[in-house]
Amino acid sequence: MLEVKGLRKVYQSGSREVEALRDLTFTVENGDLVCLVGPSGCGKTTLLRCLAGLLAPTAGDVRVDGKAVDGPPEGMAVVFQEYGRSLFPWMNVRDNVELPLKQKKVPKRRRQELIEQSLDAVGLTGSAAAYPWQLSGGMQQRVAIARAVAYEPRTLLMDEPFAAVDAQTRADLEDLVRELWKRLGVTILFVTHDIDESVYLGQRVVMLSSSPTVVQDELLIDLPADRDQLTTRADPRFIALRTRVYEQIQAAKKNAER
Amino acid sequence: MNVLKKVVLALALPAVLFGAWWVLSAGSESYYSPPLSKILAAFRTTWTPTQLEAEVLPSLLRLFAGFALAALIGVGAGVAIGLNRRLRAVMEPVLEFFRAIPPPVLVPVIMLFAGIGDTMKVIVIVFGCIWPILLNTVEGVRAVDSVVLDTARSYGVNGTARITRVVLPSASPQIAAGLRQALSIAIILMVISEMFAASNGLGFTIVQFQRSFAIPEMWSGIILLGLLGFVLSLLFRLAERRALRWYEGLRAAQRSS
């Protein structure tokens, strides 16, 4: 379970203070898939880095399974937006997936299993020897997902992972995330600026305001668990929900302008 | 075909220069610049296998010892300084000062402390060629991508693995650039240190030929030195290309996208 309570982050640069996050409180239950969506520049990345234990918040706290986060928590994996910078170009796909496992002291045979299973799961069977830069953008992000899956996390953070891939690849990767989530029973927090994506993927959508950020609204996505790109996106319920989210985001932007 | 073309292109200018030297010096009466034909004849008689072993091998051993030591210290200190902001603030002015001292002037000073043996020559080489390695390593380490570091941290890649699997590989293109500069400085300092005080070595032999007015032999020594530098940098280039194949591939991929 991921609990965020009263989270605030102020950046100090010289005598100037920039308040990125004002007051954020929300919870992600074990096994949930929650999407965070907000207008661009709403401090999503700051929030994610606080959750991942990469950045110390100014106030408030983040708890993973009841334990306060003061560094990267055990059992958490992160998929970054910039797959091109997050995968290590000096290692081939296998070594990229394997390095975190070695650090976790997973025995060799188990590592081989995990690498194979995770690459199969993301549809990259047989690409273990390739280097990341030999692959397309969508395939690189699949490698990053495979690395996260092989790590066997209880919590998976995804920071706008599909912002830089083309629309068709994106749809495939969205389905991949849903499928992995259902199969692995992992808790996923998915950050995005894409409203449709948040509704399509999430069980719940948390809407953020513009910076300085607060939680604008929360919405339960009561769509059936089996979703697919064609029928779900044409479902009147889907359209009603995306309209709700869209209105809230627009309201958030307007509030910011005032 | 492509390789052949490259080799031909690479050899064309040296061939032309040697040809010009041969033709222009053919009828030379000057004692100090004898015809190339005479120099090449001297080359054959001077640089026999025994002579190579007696004079060139000691030079090469000093060169490798100095270069390897400089690489070890330079990369080690460079990683420490590059990763630690406070250490960097303390060290940077001092480093700039030491780097600004032309290494040959240190030869007399180092001779006072380390005598005139091999130790002196290795110290001179280390002191002269460590700077490009050190400074390039510092820059390379500082330039490691923040997302790369975030990724390593969030997957628990820390301690030794962080340095050896993440920081060093990421900085390796820049470290290689520093090593390449250092190699040519090391060759220069090898020769200079041997010219000051030595009982063998390439630099010593060339000075010895000059003092005994063995002019064609002196020239042949200079040609040998040039060839040596060329072969060493070629070997370095090959090793670099092997080690940094990923970097070439990455850059090619970035250019085409």
Side-chain angles (χ1 to χ4, degrees), chain B residues 149-164:
Chain B
L149 292 176
D150 273 357
T151 305
R153 253 189 94 190
S154 62
Y155 282 102
V157 182
N158 40 36
T160 327
R162 189 169 94 101
I163 307 254
T164 56

Side-chain angles (χ1 to χ4, degrees), chain A residues 121-187:
Chain A
V122 300
L124 280 178
T125 316
S127 298
Y131 282 86
W133 36 266
Q134 291 171 322
L135 306 173
S136 68
M139 283 165 90
Q140 289 183 41
Q141 197 55 291
R142 281 173 196 266
V143 176
I145 294 171
R147 177 171 64 185
V149 167
Y151 197 59
E152 297 186 299
R154 287 189 300 279
T155 317
L156 179 57
L157 298 184
M158 304 185 91
D159 179 17
E160 299 197 37
F162 311 142
V165 298
D166 65 83
Q168 284 170 31
T169 310
R170 187 176 191 142
D172 292 344
L173 289 172
E174 284 166 5
D175 290 337
L176 175 69
V177 167
R178 287 276 311 174
E179 185 204 315
L180 288 173
W181 167 68
K182 275 192 279 186
R183 225 175 63 196
L184 303 173
V186 59
T187 310

Side-chain angles (χ1 to χ4, degrees), chain B residues 15 37 44 84 183:
Chain B
S37 53
R44 213 168 309 134
N84 189 325
L183 183 61

Side-chain angles (χ1 to χ4, degrees), chain B residues 111-194:
Chain B
M111 263 166 71
L112 290 178
F113 294 102
I116 59 168
D118 287 341
T119 317
M120 178 274 276
K121 295 170 189 86
V122 171
I123 292 177
V124 169
I125 293 172
V126 170
F127 208 92
C129 73
I130 196 171
W131 308 113
I133 304 174
L134 180 64
L135 295 172
N136 273 288
T137 305
V138 170
E139 284 310 306
V141 168
R142 285 187 60 187
V144 178
D145 195 296
S146 60
V147 178
V148 163
L149 292 176
D150 273 357
T151 305
R153 253 189 94 190
S154 62
Y155 282 102
V157 182
N158 40 36
T160 327
R162 189 169 94 101
I163 307 254
T164 56
R165 307 301 307 273
V166 178
V167 173
L168 277 177
S170 173
S172 60
Q174 206 151 350
I175 294 174
L179 289 172
R180 199 179 327 122
Q181 285 175 37
L183 183 61
S184 53
I185 297 174
I187 296 173
I188 295 171
L189 289 175
M190 169 194 89
V191 176
I192 288 178
S193 67
E194 288 172 352

Side-chain angles (χ1 to χ4, degrees), chain A residues 7 9 11 20-21 42-51 55:
Chain A
L7 191 71
K9 178 68 193 177
Y11 288 105
L21 307 177
C42 76
K44 290 188 290 274
T45 300
T46 301
L47 170 59
L48 192 113
R49 296 192 69 217
C50 285
L51 299 184
L55 189 68

